[in-house]
Amino acid sequence: MSGDKQSLAAPRGMRDFYPDEMALQCRITDTWRASAERYGFQRYDACVVESLDLLKRKAGEEIVEQIYAFKDKSDRDLALRPEMTPTLARMVAARQGSLDLPLKWFAIAQCFRYERTTRGRKREHYQLNLDIIGEPAVTAETEVIAAAVDALLQLGLSLTDFRVRISSRALLGDILAASGIPIEHHAATFLALDKRGKLPDEKIAELLTEAGVASEAQGGVFDVLGLTDLDQVRDLLKGRASAALAELEACCTGLTAYGLGDAIVFDISVIRGLAYYTGIVFEAFDTEGKLRAIFGGGRYDNLLASVGGRPQTGVGLGFGDVVVAELLAERGLTGSDEARGRITVGFMTIDQQPIARRMAATLRSQGEQVDLALHPEKPRAFFARADKRRFAKAAYIGPDDVTQGTVRIKNMVTREEEPLPV
RNA sequence: GUGAGCGUAGCUCAGUUGGUUAGAGCACCUGGUUGUGGUCCAGGAAGUCGCGGGUUCGAGUCCCGUCGCCCGCCCCA
């Protein structure tokens, strides 16, 4: 590539959507919207620029390094939103007194993050956000997960293409407590466990030691990661009461009732970083494990309070467009037929242009999507273009048609022509 | 921040131990075909080989630098 061409490329990590690519993008976002609405969520939207202070309150000072932050001309500290959740929390907190809880909202939001790009990770993406605020029961988790899975299925994937791994931070806390880890070490232990598979176990042991976990208790921590089903968890808890366990079971039961049981697996290693989650957490992955998480989320109890609202529980989910598009491509599900459904009208010489235009106007008034030729074309060129652009129908008007008073509308698939008086 | 790979036509790429005017497929344009598109035939246009420097009689090829893309790691959604 020459230097000039490079300047024509979108900035690093950003995407342009040419019409061919936009078709898939629309299919994804249309499906998101349909699934969210089918599950009774109401759409909202918000400003793309958010106050930096709000983002810091939720994620800490370090986040400034990872986002597009800037000052406006009045020296206000602002940022392109890296995610939707702080904005949602702000909007809810701002009208907390008048909103009817529990609320079920969704947004399809473009979010920005300033960081290294890799497969499935750009500096900009669109994300479906599903949130239920003010409902303590696990029905909230169930509905949110079921709606997201519905979108995956509507996109053409099957229950064997992905797995939703589900766990609970509260349950993990109970398990650690039963394993003799004092509660003040739980947060650091979560962080250490989240590194499992990314760092060698010796490194994790070091982190645990730094966190104050006694070395004799560390074996218990690693045993926790060996848990693969809820029966083992029950054994480990030895009859201790665990509301978190009951909730996790109830969530799985609800999803099974929706017919999604086969796609749900318990996975104690799902932690989701140091985010604001307090209860159930979940992440969906492709079954082969080749890609990053397709969607993820969980319950947050402290979010609203952290932005200055009154404490209120919530469940949220984020579902990005990039990874699911990769997965659809892997499965050969990126095709779209929607181009077939339009009509193109062409004419041989400028003399037929008025009639062609009148015909286009008539068809448009009937609700058809009509492309009118911008200049005269030879029949061969016209039909070649109609075919290449995948029009469903094509009408070509020449002097003979005008003389005879009929125009033929050709079905481009069957090649049959249908006369129509002009 | 870090490591690898790749930059040759609009796209995907080939290009031998350095050797004349740098190739292919697809796409594009024109014609065969002044009333009909997926095939066919003929022809055509299109590349300062990412950029800069160096070695050499000679560099797409080797060396150094630089920019870009991309994959992984760190981190994270």
Side-chain angles (χ1 to χ4, degrees):
Chain A
M1 294 246 212
S2 74
D4 282 344
K5 285 176 189 167
Q6 278 165 17
S7 70
L8 295 178
R12 179 197 285 266
M14 303 291 167
R15 295 172 293 173
D16 298 320
F17 295 101
Y18 286 79
D20 286 349
E21 301 148 0
M22 198 65 205
L24 173 62
Q25 194 63 21
C26 285
R27 194 158 72 84
I28 290 171
T29 52
D30 289 351
T31 302
W32 279 346
R33 177 183 176 176
S35 292
E37 289 179 342
R38 201 160 27 238
Y39 276 75
F41 287 79
Q42 290 179 286
R43 189 165 188 175
Y44 71 100
D45 206 344
C47 46
V48 172
V49 173
E50 190 51 271
S51 87
L52 188 57
D53 183 56
L54 176 77
L55 302 174
K56 282 183 185 171
R57 265 186 281 164
K58 193 216 131 193
E61 292 284 335
E62 325 77 63
I63 194 158
V64 178
E65 304 305 316
Q66 298 174 320
I67 62 182
Y68 283 91
F70 56 95
K71 282 183 184 293
D72 73 5
K73 293 178 180 179
S74 300
D75 224 31
R76 297 183 185 90
D77 285 306
L78 300 172
L80 298 181
R81 63 184 175 205
E83 56 172 323
M84 203 58 182
T85 310
T87 301
L88 171 72
R90 178 176 63 72
M91 289 171 68
V92 172
R95 296 196 181 175
Q96 208 161 357
S98 61
L99 289 171
D100 208 11
L101 302 181
L103 58 79
K104 295 167 66 178
W105 285 5
F106 81 100
I108 295 170
Q110 190 177 22
C111 299
F112 300 83
R113 201 106 180 177
Y114 190 85
E115 61 182 8
R116 219 43 172 176
T117 58
T118 63
R119 186 178 188 194
R121 182 68 61 95
K122 313 283 184 195
R123 285 181 170 181
E124 149 276 321
H125 73 159
Y126 288 85
Q127 192 181 57
L128 168 67
N129 285 260
L130 296 168
D131 288 273
I132 298 179
I133 307 265
E135 178 51 67
V138 289
T139 46
E141 281 91 334
T142 307
E143 291 299 297
V144 157
I145 293 171
V149 169
D150 182 71
L152 288 176
L153 298 177
Q154 293 298 323
L155 284 167
L157 295 165
S158 68
L159 286 174
T160 55
D161 286 322
F162 58 88
R163 287 287 174 274
V164 181
R165 297 187 196 156
I166 185 166
S167 184
S168 163
R169 288 192 161 200
L171 176 62
L172 184 53
D174 288 348
I175 294 169
L176 292 177
S179 305
I181 312 288
I183 192 155
E184 59 267 29
H185 296 150
H186 285 187
T189 307
F190 287 174
L191 279 183
L193 292 181
D194 202 27
K195 306 276 192 249
R196 190 77 192 277
K198 295 174 181 172
L199 292 177
D201 284 359
E202 306 84 71
K203 282 281 183 192
I204 293 174
E206 283 176 31
L207 286 174
L208 289 171
T209 304
E210 284 173 29
V213 178
S215 41
E216 51 276 18
Q218 289 180 7
V221 172
F222 285 107
D223 289 345
V224 167
L225 291 171
L227 296 170
T228 54
D229 64 56
L230 289 175
D231 289 333
Q232 294 172 348
V233 173
R234 229 169 273 120
D235 290 347
L236 193 146
L237 291 174
K238 295 186 179 67
R240 278 167 176 252
S242 171
L245 176 60
E247 284 172 357
L248 188 54
E249 287 172 326
C251 184
C252 291
T253 302
L255 290 167
T256 301
Y258 269 135
L260 308 178
D262 291 346
I264 311 297
V265 293
F266 169 67
D267 184 343
I268 192 73
S269 69
V270 174
I271 309 260
R272 290 191 64 69
L274 59 151
Y276 37 82
Y277 297 108
T278 52
I280 287 177
V281 286
F282 52 85
E283 287 179 334
F285 289 89
D286 65 293
T287 308
E288 292 172 48
K290 293 168 74 173
L291 305 171
R292 291 172 177 279
I294 302 165
F295 65 75
R299 181 173 290 270
Y300 43 80
D301 286 333
N302 307 323
L303 182 68
L304 246 57
S306 75
V307 302
R310 290 196 301 280
Q312 190 59 259
T313 189
V315 171
L317 173 153
F319 182 161
D321 62 326
V322 180
V323 174
V324 77
E326 297 257 10
L327 181 56
L328 291 173
E330 294 254 340
R331 294 290 181 281
L333 295 169
T334 52
S336 170
D337 305 326
E338 67 183 299
R340 290 268 186 210
R342 296 173 297 137
I343 302 175
T344 182
V345 177
F347 48 93
M348 188 178 290
T349 73
I350 202 72
D351 294 331
Q352 293 89 47
Q353 190 180 43
I355 292 166
R357 184 177 288 137
R358 203 153 60 230
M359 184 181 174
T362 301
L363 290 167
R364 285 168 181 157
S365 72
Q366 293 165 2
E368 300 282 358
Q369 298 177 7
V370 183
D371 167 73
L372 175 63
L374 297 168
H375 53 248
E377 286 165 294
K378 292 180 182 179
R380 179 177 151 92
F382 169 74
F383 284 102
R385 182 173 63 82
D387 179 56
K388 193 167 55 187
R389 302 275 174 85
R390 300 187 62 74
F391 282 96
K393 293 177 180 175
Y396 185 71
I397 306 172
D400 297 350
D401 301 295
V402 177
T403 308
Q404 292 162 20
T406 59
V407 172
R408 289 160 289 156
I409 298 185
K410 181 171 184 174
N411 181 315
M412 293 299 289
V413 178
T414 65
R415 300 190 174 217
E416 287 166 0
E417 292 185 327
E418 200 182 319
L420 186 80
V422 273

